[in-house]
Amino acid sequence: MGRADGSSTPQLPLGAAGDSGATPAVSDSTSGTAPAKPASRAGRDLPAAIAVGSGLGGLVIVILLFAPTAWLAVVAAAIAIATWEVTKRLREADVSVPRVPLLLGGQAIIWLGWPYGTTGVLGAFAGTVVVTMLWRLFDRGLAAQPHNYLRDTAVAVFTAAWLPLLASFATLMVLEDQGAARVFCLMLVCVASDIGGYAAGVLFGKHTMAPAISPKKSWEGFGGSLVACVAVGILTVTFLLEGPWWVGAVLGVVLVFTATAGDLIESQVKRELGIKDMGTLLPGHGGIMDRLDSILPSAFVTWLILTAFI
C-alpha cells in the first residue's frame, strides 16, 4: 500500500548498484520521446488499481461469507508469493537469504495455527529460524566458510517475522468465534486507511510526513486515514461483532498507526534495495507484498484488541 517512488536517490547499502534490479530513469531532451506522465498524483495507474482492488476485495468477501476456512489457503498462497518476491529482490541486492526454508517454514507457520493455535505458530516460527540459521551456515558445504553469514541470517529472520508470522494472526482470527467478522474488521479498516489517506493526500496533501522514506505520504493524508479508520472501526465492530463502539474506535485509532507504519517499513526496505515495487503481479499496485505491507502489522494488532475486548 505504501510506495517509495520519490525523486531522491535510493540507498543501496546491501549490494552493488548493478545488482539492485533498479534502472534509473534518465532524461534525454534530444530523444524526441516525451517522458511518461504518472497516471495520478499518487503515482498509480488508478483505473487498474481500482479494478484489481475491487477484484481482490470481492474474492475476500466471497471466501469469508461462504468458505471461511479457505481463508487459510488464501493467506498461505499470498505469503508464499510475497516471500518469493521479497527473497528475489534481496538476492538481486546480493543478500543470500535461504529461500527454501523461508517458503516451507512460512507455510508451516500459517497452517500449524489451525490445529494448534498460537503454540503451533510460535513453534513453527522458532523451527523456521533454526533451520534458516543452519541452512545459511552450511549452504556452501562443510569445508567452506559462509560469507556475510550474520547479515544474511538476520535479514532472513526479519523476513520470516515480517511475512508469515504477522500474517498468521489473520488466520488465527478466522478460526475463532465470529471469525469471518473479525477478519472483515481487519480488512475493512485497512482499506479505509488506504482510501482515506489517498483521498485526503491527493486533495489536501501539503506537509510531508517522512520525506526521506516516503515523499508522497502527507500529514493531511494521515488525518484522512485516521477519520476513515475510526468511522469504519466503529461501524464494523458494532454491526459485525455486536461489540462496544469504543472498541471499534480504539481499533481504528491503533490501526491507522500500524497501517502507516507498515507502509513506511516497506517503503524503506524498497529504498534500500533501490526498487519501486516488490513485484509486478498486480497492475496498478505492484506485487502481492505491495498490498500486504499495511495489513501484516495490523493483523497482529487486530487479533490482540479483539481477543482482549470481544
Side-chain angles (χ1 to χ4, degrees), residues 155-301:
V155 173
V157 173
F158 168 80
T159 303
W162 187 25
L163 276 68
L165 180 61
L166 291 179
S168 68
F169 292 96
T171 58
L172 290 174
M173 279 190 290
V174 84
L175 301 173
E176 300 176 358
D177 293 336
Q178 300 177 298
R182 292 171 183 262
V183 177
F184 270 127
C185 289
L186 163 67
M187 301 304 292
L188 289 175
V189 175
C190 285
V191 169
S193 175
D194 199 28
I195 294 176
Y198 174 82
V202 168
L203 294 174
F204 311 111
K206 293 181 179 179
H207 303 88
T208 55
M209 177 184 293
I213 299 174
S214 183
K216 293 183 179 179
K217 190 171 293 296
S218 67
W219 284 109
E220 291 81 2
F222 181 81
S225 292
L226 179 61
V227 172
C229 283
V230 171
V232 173
I234 292 174
L235 291 173
T236 53
V237 170
T238 301
F239 291 103
L240 295 181
L241 295 176
E242 299 181 346
W245 68 268
W246 61 267
V247 174
V250 170
L251 182 68
V253 170
V254 176
L255 255 60
V256 75
F257 284 97
T258 58
T260 302
D263 286 346
L264 293 175
I265 289 168
E266 199 208 11
S267 292
Q268 180 59 28
V269 171
K270 291 188 290 188
R271 273 193 172 278
E272 293 199 15
L273 296 177
I275 59 176
K276 179 180 178 181
D277 293 312
M278 284 293 182
T280 58
L281 184 62
L282 303 177
H285 296 276
I288 291 290
M289 186 60 211
D290 297 298
R291 298 309 303 161
L292 296 179
D293 53 2
S294 64
I295 296 175
L296 291 172
S298 300
F300 165 69
V301 172

Side-chain angles (χ1 to χ4, degrees), residues 19-57:
D19 297 330
S20 68
T23 302
V26 179
S27 175
D28 185 359
S29 59
T30 63
S31 64
T33 302
K37 296 182 179 180
S40 71
R41 287 179 60 188
R44 296 185 184 183
D45 181 350
L46 194 55
I50 293 174
V52 171
S54 299
L56 292 176

Side-chain angles (χ1 to χ4, degrees), residues 109 117-127 165:
I109 291 169
T118 54
T119 301
V121 169
L122 180 60
F125 174 70
L165 180 61

